Amino acid sequence: MPTLDFHPTGRHFLQIPGPSPVPDRILRAMSLPTIDHRGPEFGALGLKVLSGMRAIFRTKHPVVIYPSSGTGAWEAALSNALSPGDLVVMYETGHFASLWQKMAAKLGVQTEFLAYAGSDEHLPNAPSWRRGVQADMIEQRLRRDTDHRIKAVCVVHNETSTGVTSDIPAVRAAIDAAKHPALLMVDTISGLACADYRHDEWGIDVSVSGSQKGLMLPPGIGFNALSPKALAASKSAKLPRSFWGWDEMVEINKDGYFPYTPNTNLLYGLDEALAMLQAEGLDNVFARHQRWAEGVRAAVAAWALPIQCADPAVHSPVLTGVITPPGVDADAVRRLIYERFDLSLGTGLGKVKGRMFRIGHLGDSNDLTLVAAIAGCEMGLKLAGVKLADSGTQAAMTYFASHPAPALLRKVA
Ligand code: PLP
């Protein structure tokens, strides 16, 4: 009987930009028996993963772990730090930035949504969805806010709907240049453990993340990393919160425990993921994703299809958005590739639905899985009648062959 992972032979190619393919090591770790979340073994596990996550966020301050998806961690960030009617500045990089803005509005926060105002030949209805955050726009807006009504600036680090990784230190510098006290909140749900990220050094007040991307875990854990300034703001912030409250969580986390039932088996997986990332070293992890991204972009360049991110300075190491030619429904191409080659690609979300597809290059992958994924895309595009300038598969092979992975990843046994 077919099951959810029924594939006649071989493994399904999960090439969406999260949930990412989960390494077998992590799946095995998660299969251990569930333990008493108030017992001594659990306290040790809790302390270990909380400390490990501080290293991943590069912070000395508290990290909060929720049994939630990333959306819950977004709500936690807003509801702990803000009060009803507070003004926040957000920036439209894509679908996820838009969803966060809608959430803030639903929670009773007043939002101003900045966006790139230029035009775009390929995506005329979404020019802002091809570029990163323009920090100078944020600086100008903050300079005009002389009575400091703006309480927070919220941006997405790696916009998963577009494949753009914004320059977060530039946003920090903009806030500092305007001498503005607003909190800086950053969604690094798909950036963390793929692209460089430094919560303390970059002066971030609340970082928001999730388990199912660079951490290579199934969905189900949401994170907030907090600065002392964010914790201080939460003392007087008035938005209602209970489940998401930082105060009780941070207090009980000191002994490795949680105020309610944590997702124990996902935490076993997190412990294993942290061991893998620590063994590789974060800088090697970032270099690995960069190299994969360059190989995939070499393929898209050979096809002569536009990459959604129009600014090479902010190309994402996590995923690549590919714009299909006018008249070619990207979702029809995706469906064909799924049915013919057992390969899942990310769909175009919101304003870019049907205009692009996304190739994830994160999680349990390697050069050959990526070359195979590119080959699947190439066969599908051709079957859909798309004229490709050259072979992307050959371009990716040439890239990976001429740019060997670091010795650490090539070591056998
Ligand atoms: N923010 C970004 C950048 C994301 O990529 C996602 C999910 O893909 C979310 C927020 C929402 O997270 P979730 O779907 O885990 O609730």
Side-chain angles (χ1 to χ4, degrees):
M1 193 180 85
T3 65
L4 277 181
D5 70 350
F6 174 80
H7 300 281
T9 56
R11 268 206 183 185
H12 177 66
F13 275 73
L14 183 64
Q15 228 60 51
I16 61 174
S20 52
V22 180
D24 291 355
R25 253 182 86 170
I26 292 182
L27 290 172
R28 280 196 296 272
M30 286 177 28
S31 71
L32 293 175
T34 305
I35 52 171
D36 173 9
H37 60 290
R38 305 201 196 275
E41 281 173 299
F42 187 90
L45 171 70
L47 288 175
K48 197 165 165 224
V49 292
L50 284 162
S51 149
M53 282 311 296
R54 284 197 291 275
I56 297 289
F57 278 106
R58 289 183 158 154
T59 183
K60 293 193 173 52
H61 302 296
V63 168
V64 172
I65 299 180
Y66 295 109
S68 78
S69 81
T71 302
W74 266 347
E75 182 161 336
L78 299 172
S79 65
N80 277 283
L82 299 169
S83 298
D86 274 358
L87 179 60
V88 300
V89 166
M90 305 178 102
Y91 192 100
E92 186 183 350
T93 40
H95 186 68
F96 289 107
S98 305
L99 289 181
W100 202 13
Q101 184 266 334
K102 284 194 186 103
M103 170 188 277
K106 279 191 215 161
L107 291 174
V109 170
Q110 213 186 315
T111 63
E112 261 186 47
F113 207 25
L114 305 181
Y116 170 75
S119 57
D120 189 85
E121 62 166 317
H122 293 295
L123 298 177
N125 67 330
S128 195
W129 291 33
R130 297 197 67 200
R131 290 157 182 87
V133 173
Q134 285 185 294
D136 55 336
M137 279 180 82
I138 291 178
E139 181 179 336
Q140 284 158 22
R141 181 61 192 93
L142 295 179
R143 280 187 189 279
R144 290 204 310 280
D145 183 42
T146 47
D147 53 354
H148 294 166
R149 282 198 58 230
I150 297 168
K151 298 300 176 212
V153 171
C154 303
V155 292
V156 175
H157 175 218
N158 186 73
E159 178 53 79
T160 325
S161 64
T162 66
V164 171
T165 309
S166 286
D167 183 349
I168 302 302
V171 177
R172 175 77 258 164
I175 300 173
D176 293 346
K179 298 194 174 47
H180 200 289
L183 296 168
L184 173 56
M185 299 197 192
V186 180
D187 167 343
T188 186
I189 286 178
S190 61
L192 194 74
C194 290
D196 194 10
Y197 193 81
R198 299 157 192 255
H199 179 88
D200 287 359
E201 193 184 317
W202 293 354
I204 296 157
D205 293 302
V206 188
S207 296
V208 178
S209 198
S211 52
Q212 74 272 28
K213 314 276 186 180
L215 293 171
M216 309 180 288
L217 293 165
I221 309 182
F223 302 95
N224 279 177
L226 314 175
S227 73
K229 189 172 153 187
L231 278 165
S234 73
K235 304 281 179 237
S236 57
K238 297 273 183 304
L239 276 179
R241 69 233 175 219
S242 167
F243 178 82
W244 303 117
W246 289 337
D247 45 0
E248 213 184 324
M249 183 69 101
V250 169
E251 192 47 42
I252 196 166
N253 276 177
K254 286 181 184 152
D255 297 319
Y257 295 100
F258 289 75
Y260 37 74
T261 313
N263 32 18
T264 308
N265 289 56
L266 275 172
L267 297 182
Y268 295 158
L270 178 58
D271 187 35
E272 193 71 7
L274 290 168
M276 291 172 73
L277 293 167
Q278 280 156 11
E280 187 177 352
L282 273 185
D283 291 337
N284 294 320
V285 170
F286 305 147
R288 168 162 56 80
H289 289 88
Q290 278 295 355
R291 184 173 162 280
W292 285 344
E294 279 164 24
V296 171
R297 289 198 299 269
V300 184
W303 294 332
L305 293 178
I307 288 177
Q308 177 155 1
C309 176
D311 176 1
V314 288
H315 274 155
S316 172
V318 186
L319 73 141
T320 301
V322 183
I323 299 178
T324 48
V328 176
D329 176 1
D331 280 338
V333 178
R334 282 178 51 252
R335 200 172 319 117
L336 191 156
I337 292 170
Y338 173 76
E339 286 169 4
R340 289 291 300 269
F341 307 115
D342 202 15
L343 159 62
S344 288
L345 296 164
T347 183
L349 292 163
K351 287 183 183 177
V352 295
K353 181 141 193 65
R355 291 297 295 112
M356 57 86 71
F357 63 87
R358 298 171 294 151
I359 306 172
H361 22 88
L362 72 167
D364 192 35
S365 300
N366 59 32
D367 293 3
L368 293 187
T369 55
L370 289 177
V371 167
I374 296 291
C377 294
E378 186 160 317
M379 289 188 284
L381 285 161
K382 282 187 179 166
L383 285 170
V386 177
K387 295 263 172 297
L388 302 175
D390 215 332
S391 168
T393 311
Q394 182 58 59
M397 290 196 300
T398 304
Y399 180 88
F400 289 129
S402 56
H403 296 79
L408 177 77
L409 296 179
R410 282 184 282 132
K411 203 163 68 182
V412 177

mmCIF file of all heavy atoms in Angstrom, residues 36-70:
data_model
loop_
_atom_site.group_PDB
_atom_site.id
_atom_site.type_symbol
_atom_site.label_atom_id
_atom_site.label_comp_id
_atom_site.label_asym_id
_atom_site.label_seq_id
_atom_site.Cartn_x
_atom_site.Cartn_y
_atom_site.Cartn_z
ATOM 1 N N ASP A 36 10.922 11.520 30.540
ATOM 2 C CA ASP A 36 10.201 12.444 31.425
ATOM 3 C C ASP A 36 10.807 13.843 31.275
ATOM 4 O O ASP A 36 11.977 14.044 31.605
ATOM 5 C CB ASP A 36 10.340 11.935 32.872
ATOM 6 C CG ASP A 36 9.770 12.913 33.880
ATOM 7 O OD1 ASP A 36 9.109 13.897 33.465
ATOM 8 O OD2 ASP A 36 10.000 12.698 35.086
ATOM 9 N N HIS A 37 9.984 14.776 30.819
ATOM 10 C CA HIS A 37 10.529 16.129 30.586
ATOM 11 C C HIS A 37 10.741 16.890 31.891
ATOM 12 O O HIS A 37 11.162 18.027 31.878
ATOM 13 C CB HIS A 37 9.614 16.912 29.639
ATOM 14 C CG HIS A 37 8.232 17.097 30.148
ATOM 15 N ND1 HIS A 37 7.339 16.053 30.247
ATOM 16 C CD2 HIS A 37 7.584 18.201 30.612
ATOM 17 C CE1 HIS A 37 6.202 16.517 30.731
ATOM 18 N NE2 HIS A 37 6.333 17.815 30.975
ATOM 19 N N ARG A 38 10.422 16.248 33.037
ATOM 20 C CA ARG A 38 10.736 16.900 34.309
ATOM 21 C C ARG A 38 11.803 16.119 35.084
ATOM 22 O O ARG A 38 12.105 16.419 36.222
ATOM 23 C CB ARG A 38 9.479 17.044 35.160
ATOM 24 C CG ARG A 38 8.351 17.775 34.410
ATOM 25 C CD ARG A 38 7.304 18.387 35.314
ATOM 26 N NE ARG A 38 6.094 18.730 34.551
ATOM 27 C CZ ARG A 38 5.923 19.870 33.884
ATOM 28 N NH1 ARG A 38 6.874 20.785 33.895
ATOM 29 N NH2 ARG A 38 4.801 20.108 33.224
ATOM 30 N N GLY A 39 12.358 15.094 34.421
ATOM 31 C CA GLY A 39 13.362 14.258 35.078
ATOM 32 C C GLY A 39 14.779 14.770 34.843
ATOM 33 O O GLY A 39 14.997 15.698 34.063
ATOM 34 N N PRO A 40 15.761 14.154 35.532
ATOM 35 C CA PRO A 40 17.140 14.649 35.489
ATOM 36 C C PRO A 40 17.797 14.577 34.109
ATOM 37 O O PRO A 40 18.522 15.485 33.719
ATOM 38 C CB PRO A 40 17.881 13.754 36.489
ATOM 39 C CG PRO A 40 16.998 12.577 36.711
ATOM 40 C CD PRO A 40 15.600 13.002 36.418
ATOM 41 N N GLU A 41 17.507 13.503 33.366
ATOM 42 C CA GLU A 41 18.127 13.379 32.029
ATOM 43 C C GLU A 41 17.700 14.538 31.142
ATOM 44 O O GLU A 41 18.473 15.078 30.359
ATOM 45 C CB GLU A 41 17.646 12.100 31.336
ATOM 46 C CG GLU A 41 18.289 10.834 31.773
ATOM 47 C CD GLU A 41 17.565 9.653 31.117
ATOM 48 O OE1 GLU A 41 16.354 9.479 31.355
ATOM 49 O OE2 GLU A 41 18.212 8.948 30.368
ATOM 50 N N PHE A 42 16.415 14.915 31.279
ATOM 51 C CA PHE A 42 15.919 15.985 30.418
ATOM 52 C C PHE A 42 16.595 17.317 30.725
ATOM 53 O O PHE A 42 16.950 18.080 29.808
ATOM 54 C CB PHE A 42 14.387 16.147 30.495
ATOM 55 C CG PHE A 42 13.935 17.137 29.465
ATOM 56 C CD1 PHE A 42 13.590 16.707 28.205
ATOM 57 C CD2 PHE A 42 13.962 18.506 29.725
ATOM 58 C CE1 PHE A 42 13.263 17.621 27.211
ATOM 59 C CE2 PHE A 42 13.637 19.431 28.744
ATOM 60 C CZ PHE A 42 13.282 18.985 27.475
ATOM 61 N N GLY A 43 16.811 17.598 32.022
ATOM 62 C CA GLY A 43 17.454 18.876 32.392
ATOM 63 C C GLY A 43 18.810 19.003 31.715
ATOM 64 O O GLY A 43 19.177 20.081 31.212
ATOM 65 N N ALA A 44 19.547 17.897 31.680
ATOM 66 C CA ALA A 44 20.881 17.926 31.057
ATOM 67 C C ALA A 44 20.755 18.185 29.554
ATOM 68 O O ALA A 44 21.511 18.977 28.971
ATOM 69 C CB ALA A 44 21.603 16.610 31.324
ATOM 70 N N LEU A 45 19.771 17.528 28.921
ATOM 71 C CA LEU A 45 19.558 17.730 27.477
ATOM 72 C C LEU A 45 19.162 19.185 27.209
ATOM 73 O O LEU A 45 19.684 19.822 26.282
ATOM 74 C CB LEU A 45 18.449 16.781 26.980
ATOM 75 C CG LEU A 45 17.955 17.021 25.553
ATOM 76 C CD1 LEU A 45 19.035 16.628 24.536
ATOM 77 C CD2 LEU A 45 16.670 16.236 25.272
ATOM 78 N N GLY A 46 18.252 19.704 28.035
ATOM 79 C CA GLY A 46 17.783 21.085 27.852
ATOM 80 C C GLY A 46 18.945 22.068 27.940
ATOM 81 O O GLY A 46 19.102 22.943 27.072
ATOM 82 N N LEU A 47 19.773 21.902 28.964
ATOM 83 C CA LEU A 47 20.911 22.834 29.112
ATOM 84 C C LEU A 47 21.844 22.734 27.910
ATOM 85 O O LEU A 47 22.364 23.746 27.421
ATOM 86 C CB LEU A 47 21.684 22.521 30.405
ATOM 87 C CG LEU A 47 20.972 22.910 31.701
ATOM 88 C CD1 LEU A 47 21.787 22.444 32.910
ATOM 89 C CD2 LEU A 47 20.733 24.427 31.773
ATOM 90 N N LYS A 48 22.043 21.500 27.421
ATOM 91 C CA LYS A 48 22.981 21.290 26.309
ATOM 92 C C LYS A 48 22.468 21.955 25.023
ATOM 93 O O LYS A 48 23.213 22.661 24.327
ATOM 94 C CB LYS A 48 23.160 19.780 26.094
ATOM 95 C CG LYS A 48 24.364 19.410 25.283
ATOM 96 C CD LYS A 48 24.651 17.927 25.429
ATOM 97 C CE LYS A 48 25.620 17.477 24.358
ATOM 98 N NZ LYS A 48 25.220 16.216 23.758
ATOM 99 N N VAL A 49 21.188 21.765 24.713
ATOM 100 C CA VAL A 49 20.704 22.339 23.451
ATOM 101 C C VAL A 49 20.547 23.864 23.557
ATOM 102 O O VAL A 49 20.778 24.582 22.577
ATOM 103 C CB VAL A 49 19.393 21.676 22.934
ATOM 104 C CG1 VAL A 49 19.642 20.240 22.515
ATOM 105 C CG2 VAL A 49 18.254 21.768 23.924
ATOM 106 N N LEU A 50 20.214 24.363 24.744
ATOM 107 C CA LEU A 50 20.107 25.827 24.884
ATOM 108 C C LEU A 50 21.489 26.461 24.699
ATOM 109 O O LEU A 50 21.638 27.483 24.023
ATOM 110 C CB LEU A 50 19.525 26.189 26.261
ATOM 111 C CG LEU A 50 18.005 25.952 26.376
ATOM 112 C CD1 LEU A 50 17.565 25.907 27.840
ATOM 113 C CD2 LEU A 50 17.238 27.041 25.628
ATOM 114 N N SER A 51 22.504 25.829 25.277
ATOM 115 C CA SER A 51 23.857 26.365 25.117
ATOM 116 C C SER A 51 24.324 26.229 23.664
ATOM 117 O O SER A 51 24.910 27.149 23.081
ATOM 118 C CB SER A 51 24.786 25.629 26.097
ATOM 119 O OG SER A 51 26.059 25.534 25.587
ATOM 120 N N GLY A 52 24.004 25.094 23.048
ATOM 121 C CA GLY A 52 24.382 24.880 21.643
ATOM 122 C C GLY A 52 23.722 25.915 20.735
ATOM 123 O O GLY A 52 24.332 26.421 19.789
ATOM 124 N N MET A 53 22.475 26.246 21.013
ATOM 125 C CA MET A 53 21.785 27.228 20.168
ATOM 126 C C MET A 53 22.352 28.638 20.372
ATOM 127 O O MET A 53 22.352 29.444 19.440
ATOM 128 C CB MET A 53 20.280 27.219 20.433
ATOM 129 C CG MET A 53 19.539 26.074 19.786
ATOM 130 S SD MET A 53 19.923 25.840 18.024
ATOM 131 C CE MET A 53 19.302 27.353 17.296
ATOM 132 N N ARG A 54 22.841 28.923 21.578
ATOM 133 C CA ARG A 54 23.487 30.246 21.769
ATOM 134 C C ARG A 54 24.703 30.341 20.841
ATOM 135 O O ARG A 54 24.964 31.392 20.249
ATOM 136 C CB ARG A 54 23.872 30.455 23.237
ATOM 137 C CG ARG A 54 22.677 30.797 24.116
ATOM 138 C CD ARG A 54 23.092 31.393 25.453
ATOM 139 N NE ARG A 54 23.755 30.426 26.317
ATOM 140 C CZ ARG A 54 23.122 29.568 27.123
ATOM 141 N NH1 ARG A 54 21.802 29.571 27.192
ATOM 142 N NH2 ARG A 54 23.785 28.707 27.857
ATOM 143 N N ALA A 55 25.417 29.245 20.701
ATOM 144 C CA ALA A 55 26.589 29.252 19.802
ATOM 145 C C ALA A 55 26.156 29.437 18.351
ATOM 146 O O ALA A 55 26.825 30.125 17.568
ATOM 147 C CB ALA A 55 27.383 27.957 19.974
ATOM 148 N N ILE A 56 25.047 28.843 17.957
ATOM 149 C CA ILE A 56 24.577 28.978 16.563
ATOM 150 C C ILE A 56 24.135 30.412 16.281
ATOM 151 O O ILE A 56 24.430 30.969 15.219
ATOM 152 C CB ILE A 56 23.415 27.984 16.287
ATOM 153 C CG1 ILE A 56 23.882 26.541 16.428
ATOM 154 C CG2 ILE A 56 22.793 28.231 14.910
ATOM 155 C CD1 ILE A 56 24.810 26.031 15.357
ATOM 156 N N PHE A 57 23.426 31.019 17.238
ATOM 157 C CA PHE A 57 23.002 32.421 17.052
ATOM 158 C C PHE A 57 24.181 33.390 17.288
ATOM 159 O O PHE A 57 24.052 34.568 17.031
ATOM 160 C CB PHE A 57 21.884 32.789 18.034
ATOM 161 C CG PHE A 57 20.508 32.354 17.605
ATOM 162 C CD1 PHE A 57 19.880 31.273 18.215
ATOM 163 C CD2 PHE A 57 19.820 33.034 16.617
ATOM 164 C CE1 PHE A 57 18.596 30.887 17.840
ATOM 165 C CE2 PHE A 57 18.538 32.659 16.232
ATOM 166 C CZ PHE A 57 17.927 31.590 16.849
ATOM 167 N N ARG A 58 25.259 32.876 17.820
ATOM 168 C CA ARG A 58 26.415 33.683 18.235
ATOM 169 C C ARG A 58 25.959 34.749 19.226
ATOM 170 O O ARG A 58 26.072 35.954 18.993
ATOM 171 C CB ARG A 58 27.145 34.268 17.023
ATOM 172 C CG ARG A 58 27.874 33.137 16.258
ATOM 173 C CD ARG A 58 28.670 33.631 15.086
ATOM 174 N NE ARG A 58 29.711 32.657 14.744
ATOM 175 C CZ ARG A 58 30.250 32.508 13.536
ATOM 176 N NH1 ARG A 58 29.863 33.264 12.529
ATOM 177 N NH2 ARG A 58 31.191 31.625 13.329
ATOM 178 N N THR A 59 25.406 34.243 20.332
ATOM 179 C CA THR A 59 24.968 35.140 21.401
ATOM 180 C C THR A 59 25.333 34.563 22.762
ATOM 181 O O THR A 59 25.412 33.343 22.919
ATOM 182 C CB THR A 59 23.442 35.377 21.343
ATOM 183 O OG1 THR A 59 23.108 36.312 22.370
ATOM 184 C CG2 THR A 59 22.625 34.116 21.532
ATOM 185 N N LYS A 60 25.540 35.466 23.708
ATOM 186 C CA LYS A 60 25.768 35.057 25.105
ATOM 187 C C LYS A 60 24.470 35.155 25.893
ATOM 188 O O LYS A 60 24.413 34.831 27.064
ATOM 189 C CB LYS A 60 26.782 36.002 25.752
ATOM 190 C CG LYS A 60 28.173 35.908 25.193
ATOM 191 C CD LYS A 60 29.145 36.659 26.135
ATOM 192 C CE LYS A 60 30.582 36.472 25.720
ATOM 193 N NZ LYS A 60 30.821 36.796 24.314
ATOM 194 N N HIS A 61 23.433 35.672 25.253
ATOM 195 C CA HIS A 61 22.189 35.980 25.960
ATOM 196 C C HIS A 61 21.166 34.859 25.741
ATOM 197 O O HIS A 61 21.392 33.950 24.940
ATOM 198 C CB HIS A 61 21.685 37.349 25.486
ATOM 199 C CG HIS A 61 22.705 38.419 25.715
ATOM 200 N ND1 HIS A 61 23.126 38.773 26.985
ATOM 201 C CD2 HIS A 61 23.449 39.163 24.849
ATOM 202 C CE1 HIS A 61 24.056 39.701 26.888
ATOM 203 N NE2 HIS A 61 24.281 39.959 25.603
ATOM 204 N N PRO A 62 19.998 34.935 26.409
ATOM 205 C CA PRO A 62 19.060 33.804 26.325
ATOM 206 C C PRO A 62 18.529 33.507 24.925
ATOM 207 O O PRO A 62 18.257 34.420 24.146
ATOM 208 C CB PRO A 62 17.900 34.240 27.228
ATOM 209 C CG PRO A 62 18.462 35.263 28.132
ATOM 210 C CD PRO A 62 19.549 35.962 27.364
ATOM 211 N N VAL A 63 18.411 32.215 24.656
ATOM 212 C CA VAL A 63 17.694 31.730 23.466
ATOM 213 C C VAL A 63 16.461 30.990 23.996
ATOM 214 O O VAL A 63 16.547 30.271 24.983
ATOM 215 C CB VAL A 63 18.578 30.775 22.630
ATOM 216 C CG1 VAL A 63 17.750 30.050 21.572
ATOM 217 C CG2 VAL A 63 19.722 31.528 21.977
ATOM 218 N N VAL A 64 15.326 31.218 23.372
ATOM 219 C CA VAL A 64 14.089 30.570 23.795
ATOM 220 C C VAL A 64 13.702 29.545 22.729
ATOM 221 O O VAL A 64 13.789 29.822 21.531
ATOM 222 C CB VAL A 64 12.979 31.640 23.955
ATOM 223 C CG1 VAL A 64 11.635 30.995 24.195
ATOM 224 C CG2 VAL A 64 13.333 32.591 25.091
ATOM 225 N N ILE A 65 13.300 28.356 23.186
ATOM 226 C CA ILE A 65 12.912 27.272 22.273
ATOM 227 C C ILE A 65 11.422 26.985 22.469
ATOM 228 O O ILE A 65 11.002 26.654 23.577
ATOM 229 C CB ILE A 65 13.729 25.986 22.577
ATOM 230 C CG1 ILE A 65 15.228 26.237 22.374
ATOM 231 C CG2 ILE A 65 13.229 24.826 21.723
ATOM 232 C CD1 ILE A 65 16.112 25.015 22.660
ATOM 233 N N TYR A 66 10.648 27.132 21.404
ATOM 234 C CA TYR A 66 9.207 26.864 21.478
ATOM 235 C C TYR A 66 8.857 25.607 20.693
ATOM 236 O O TYR A 66 9.419 25.393 19.603
ATOM 237 C CB TYR A 66 8.416 28.001 20.821
ATOM 238 C CG TYR A 66 8.516 29.335 21.510
ATOM 239 C CD1 TYR A 66 9.237 30.382 20.923
ATOM 240 C CD2 TYR A 66 7.875 29.566 22.719
ATOM 241 C CE1 TYR A 66 9.313 31.618 21.530
ATOM 242 C CE2 TYR A 66 7.950 30.809 23.339
ATOM 243 C CZ TYR A 66 8.667 31.828 22.738
ATOM 244 O OH TYR A 66 8.743 33.046 23.339
ATOM 245 N N PRO A 67 7.884 24.816 21.182
ATOM 246 C CA PRO A 67 7.349 23.746 20.340
ATOM 247 C C PRO A 67 6.382 24.355 19.318
ATOM 248 O O PRO A 67 5.168 24.339 19.509
ATOM 249 C CB PRO A 67 6.623 22.830 21.338
ATOM 250 C CG PRO A 67 6.363 23.678 22.537
ATOM 251 C CD PRO A 67 7.264 24.876 22.501
ATOM 252 N N SER A 68 6.933 24.960 18.278
ATOM 253 C CA SER A 68 6.091 25.698 17.316
ATOM 254 C C SER A 68 6.788 25.741 15.965
ATOM 255 O O SER A 68 7.972 25.438 15.863
ATOM 256 C CB SER A 68 5.903 27.143 17.791
ATOM 257 O OG SER A 68 7.055 27.928 17.518
ATOM 258 N N SER A 69 6.058 26.195 14.972
ATOM 259 C CA SER A 69 6.710 26.491 13.694
ATOM 260 C C SER A 69 7.293 27.901 13.774
ATOM 261 O O SER A 69 7.177 28.588 14.806
ATOM 262 C CB SER A 69 5.710 26.370 12.546
ATOM 263 O OG SER A 69 4.924 27.541 12.448
ATOM 264 N N GLY A 70 7.888 28.363 12.691
ATOM 265 C CA GLY A 70 8.495 29.695 12.681
ATOM 266 C C GLY A 70 7.471 30.798 12.905
ATOM 267 O O GLY A 70 7.771 31.825 13.526
#
